[in-house]
Amino acid sequence: MTHAPALGSARAGLLQVCAAGVLWGTGGLVVTVLNDRDGLGAMTVSAWRMALAAVALVGFALVTRRVAAVRETLRRHPGRAALLGCCTGLYQGLYFGAVLLVGVSVATVVSLGLAPVLASLGEHLAARTRPSRREVAVLASALTGLVLITANAGHGSAAPGDRPTLGLLMAVASGAVYAGTTVLGHTLASRVDPVALTTCATAAGAVALSPFLLLAAVAGEPVLTTDPGSVALLVYLGIATMALSYGLLYAGLRTTSGSAATVATLVEPLSAGLLAAALLGERVTWPALLGGVLILGAVAALRPTEQQPVPA
């Protein structure tokens, strides 16, 4: 009698992870608009994004009376929660740096494509098992779809910087940190309240990224905007693409493995491409459509785990 509820919970967790990927897919467009309109750099926007998310999450914890759960998470897992938040900020910074040096397409394929491979490899090494043919097929389908979507994106694939080797190394490091962060998030999310975990990790990430605001000010770059529309976009980034999305991710990781989650979040470039086509008029090519079908097929073929999370 307990099998069906467990499986239903696992499927709901997978949908939560996919929803987080869809929200992340909207972030790139917003960051681009803020950069074009107000000159805000990627790391400056990232720092504000995490800071606003931390404020929103603390307020949400107060309203929903989860402050005790936040304190308990800090008491029981202070190092891991802080590491999770710092690594979240780190892989975002490495990814943005790779984009500037090697281009969006290459950075996306290397970073997002490497993450599920490393996560799956780490899980099988820890369990001393081999991946099944189904897992290999799912991973191959997802990565092929990622390459097709990214290679045919409207923003192109040329490297804007003059140090492509460094850019590739940063993309590889971003993928490795992302994989490790997702696996660590799965371990913690099965033990603590997801809202409390998101609050602690985001606050730590906000502290880690705060120096970038100072660096931007010292360099004479824009740090904040007074335009109401741009402020609203910053708030959207903080609440929707950070606080809500990572809350969904950690809630989903309670019943979804880290390797499956990294595959499911590949809907991020898919949602970004659809949004660019709808709002920016970018042409959707047949290879990109095929890539989207392959990613959706891979996500649909994921076999959710049937174990219940450990009670927080």
Side-chain angles (χ1 to χ4, degrees), residues 147-154 273-274 277 282-293:
V147 171
L148 289 174
I149 287 180
T150 308
N152 291 274
L274 293 176
E282 291 187 1
R283 186 171 60 91
V284 180
T285 63
W286 282 108
L289 287 175
L290 176 59
V293 171

Side-chain angles (χ1 to χ4, degrees), residues 39-297:
L40 296 177
M43 293 309 300
T44 300
V45 174
S46 296
W48 281 117
R49 176 192 181 203
M50 272 215 164
L52 291 170
V55 172
L57 285 165
V58 169
F60 183 76
L62 289 171
V63 172
T64 57
R65 299 182 180 180
R66 281 186 167 91
V67 176
V70 174
R71 291 175 179 172
E72 182 68 10
T73 301
L74 287 174
R75 185 185 69 83
R76 294 177 57 191
H77 311 283
R80 290 187 178 185
L83 179 63
L84 187 64
C86 292
C87 286
T88 300
L90 177 61
Y91 78 70
Q92 290 178 8
L94 288 170
Y95 173 74
F96 289 139
V99 167
L100 295 177
L101 293 175
V102 79
V104 176
S105 297
V106 175
T108 302
V109 169
V110 173
S111 180
L112 291 183
L114 187 62
V117 176
L118 293 178
S120 178
L121 180 62
E123 289 178 351
H124 283 289
L125 286 176
R128 297 183 179 180
T129 57
R130 292 183 178 181
S132 64
R133 292 182 179 179
R134 179 191 181 94
E135 289 176 301
V136 173
V138 166
L139 193 57
S141 175
L143 296 183
T144 302
L146 174 65
V147 171
L148 289 174
I149 287 180
T150 308
N152 291 274
H155 44 245
S157 59
D162 56 355
R163 291 177 291 176
T165 302
L166 178 60
L168 283 174
L169 290 176
M170 293 181 72
V172 170
S174 175
V177 175
Y178 176 44
T181 301
T182 306
V183 173
L184 175 61
H186 169 68
T187 303
L188 283 178
S190 62
R191 291 173 169 81
V192 300
D193 178 77
V195 174
L197 177 59
T198 309
T199 303
C200 296
T202 304
V207 173
L209 290 182
S210 59
F212 286 99
L213 297 177
L214 179 61
L215 290 175
V218 171
E221 300 175 357
V223 177
L224 188 59
T225 177
T226 57
D227 181 75
S230 298
V231 172
L233 289 177
L234 280 175
V235 173
Y236 170 81
L237 278 177
I239 294 179
T241 71
M242 191 70 213
L244 177 58
S245 61
Y246 276 91
L248 288 168
L249 173 66
Y250 296 141
L253 282 174
R254 291 171 65 83
T255 54
T256 305
S257 67
S259 57
T262 53
V263 172
T265 52
L266 290 182
V267 299
E268 175 185 351
L270 174 59
S271 63
L274 293 176
L275 190 63
L279 299 182
L280 302 181
E282 291 187 1
R283 186 171 60 91
V284 180
T285 63
W286 282 108
L289 287 175
L290 176 59
V293 171
L294 288 174
I295 289 178
L296 291 178

